[in-house]
């Protein structure tokens, strides 16, 4: 069965600082991996996805993520965080079925 | 930009009552989904729907739940007899293709069962 672990429940960074959110997945074959962001009162917005090919993927809002098969990880990064990035971030995996399996999320707080 | 819409944004109901949550997926999408998020917990898959039938469902999606595409635009989730534990945010999503194509999510309906 597929699963996702996001070990950090809550992260606080200063505006302008770099960010890395961790995601580890469990899936037997090559997974399809996603990062979604949820702002308060909003739905889930796709930041980026990995299906195959280049293991470093670029997304919207200056985010990127790197797929590392050897570590079963798909960490999300941003070189310089903006106050508007404060939100909850979800990593998700999909296998051969169409359903997404989400992690528990990481809440990002940005201090000015 | 096309988006998934959901109504109502908040629904309050008494335990044992039936509720219908409504979604309008993006118009050229063929696959539809419902997920839920209990407060403080992760988003969980409920059901996927394609070609007017359920293609996959989770163990959460028991006989109390049903989905329907009553016309060419709406996609509904019905809970026949609500329980306290059904209180959650329910998200609708849609995608052009299945098999891990990008799913676009609506803003959610917060269901409160009293």
């Amino acid at each position: 069965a597929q699963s996702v672990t996001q070990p950090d429940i809550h992260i606080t960074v200063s505006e302008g600082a770099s960010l890395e959110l961790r995601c580890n997945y469990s899936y037997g074959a090559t997974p399809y991996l996603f990062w979604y962001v949820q702002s308060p009162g909003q739905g889930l917005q796709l930041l980026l996805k990995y299906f195959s090919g280049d293991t470093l993927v670029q997304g919207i809002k200056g985010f990127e993520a790197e797929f590392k098969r050897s570590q079963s990880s798909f960490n999300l990064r941003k070189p310089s965080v903006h106050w508007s990035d404060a939100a909850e971030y979800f990593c998700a995996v999909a296998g051969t079925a169409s359903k997404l399996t989400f992690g528990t999320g990481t809440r990002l707080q940005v201090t000015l | 930009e096309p988006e998934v819409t959901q109504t109502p944004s908040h629904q309050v109901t008494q335990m044992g009552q039936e509720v219908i949550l409504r979604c309008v997926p993006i118009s050229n999408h063929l696959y539809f989904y419902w997920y839920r998020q209990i407060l403080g917990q992760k988003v969980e898959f409920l059901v996927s729907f394609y070609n007017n039938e359920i293609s996959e469902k989770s163990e959460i999606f028991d006989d109390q739940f049903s989905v329907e595409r009553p016309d060419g635009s709406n996609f509904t989730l019905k809970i026949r007899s609500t329980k306290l534990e059904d209180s959650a945010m329910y998200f609708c999503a849609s995608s052009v293709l299945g098999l891990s194509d990008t799913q676009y999510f609506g803003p959610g309906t917060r269901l409160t069962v009293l």
Side-chain angles (χ1 to χ4, degrees):
Chain A
Q2 58 202 47
S3 67
V4 174
T5 302
Q6 293 181 249
D8 304 306
I9 297 172
H10 189 195
I11 283 183
T12 300
V13 299
S14 301
E15 189 174 39
S18 63
L19 172 71
E20 182 168 27
L21 302 182
R22 296 183 290 166
C23 171
N24 292 98
Y25 68 90
S26 174
Y27 182 67
T30 299
Y32 301 105
L33 295 161
F34 306 81
W35 275 99
Y36 282 86
V37 61
Q38 184 182 29
S39 299
Q42 303 293 311
L44 296 159
Q45 181 183 23
L46 180 71
L47 286 175
L48 48 79
K49 61 187 179 185
Y50 171 78
F51 283 2
S52 64
D54 193 347
T55 56
L56 184 65
V57 292
Q58 303 296 321
I60 62 171
K61 304 184 181 186
F63 286 92
E64 67 178 27
E66 186 170 13
F67 170 61
K68 292 186 178 180
R69 183 189 304 275
S70 61
Q71 298 176 20
S72 298
S73 69
F74 188 57
N75 294 348
L76 182 71
R77 300 195 294 248
K78 186 170 185 178
S80 178
V81 169
H82 188 262
W83 63 267
S84 60
D85 293 324
E88 185 132 24
Y89 291 79
F90 292 94
C91 182
V93 64
T96 54
S98 56
K99 71 175 185 180
L100 292 174
T101 299
F102 286 86
T104 50
T106 298
R107 180 164 298 279
L108 174 66
Q109 184 176 357
V110 180
T111 58
L112 301 176
Chain B
E1 184 177 327
E3 57 184 21
V4 176
T5 59
Q6 291 185 243
T7 54
S9 57
H10 191 190
Q11 172 98 41
V12 181
T13 190
Q14 296 291 324
M15 190 169 54
Q17 295 297 303
E18 175 183 285
V19 295
I20 297 176
L21 309 183
R22 303 181 191 279
C23 168
V24 179
I26 296 173
S27 62
N28 65 330
H29 286 191
L30 302 176
Y31 292 78
F32 314 113
Y33 313 84
W34 284 101
Y35 292 81
R36 79 172 186 189
Q37 183 182 29
I38 295 172
L39 188 63
Q41 298 186 25
K42 62 182 174 182
V43 177
E44 300 173 291
F45 169 79
L46 291 178
V47 65
S48 59
F49 190 85
Y50 169 70
N51 200 26
N52 281 319
E53 60 183 31
I54 291 173
S55 48
E56 188 176 2
K57 61 182 181 179
S58 72
E59 60 273 13
I60 302 168
F61 194 88
D62 60 23
D63 292 343
Q64 293 298 313
F65 291 88
S66 62
V67 289
E68 191 179 31
R69 189 155 162 81
D71 53 43
S73 59
N74 289 283
F75 180 51
T76 62
L77 174 69
K78 181 192 291 186
I79 309 175
R80 289 191 184 81
S81 178
T82 51
K83 308 183 190 69
L84 295 177
E85 54 265 36
D86 293 327
S87 295
M89 181 74 88
Y90 288 81
F91 292 104
C92 174
S94 69
S95 62
V96 176
L97 305 172
L99 290 176
S100 312
D101 191 23
T102 299
Q103 294 180 26
Y104 294 87
F105 284 76
T109 292
R110 179 163 296 286
L111 176 64
T112 301
V113 183
L114 303 176

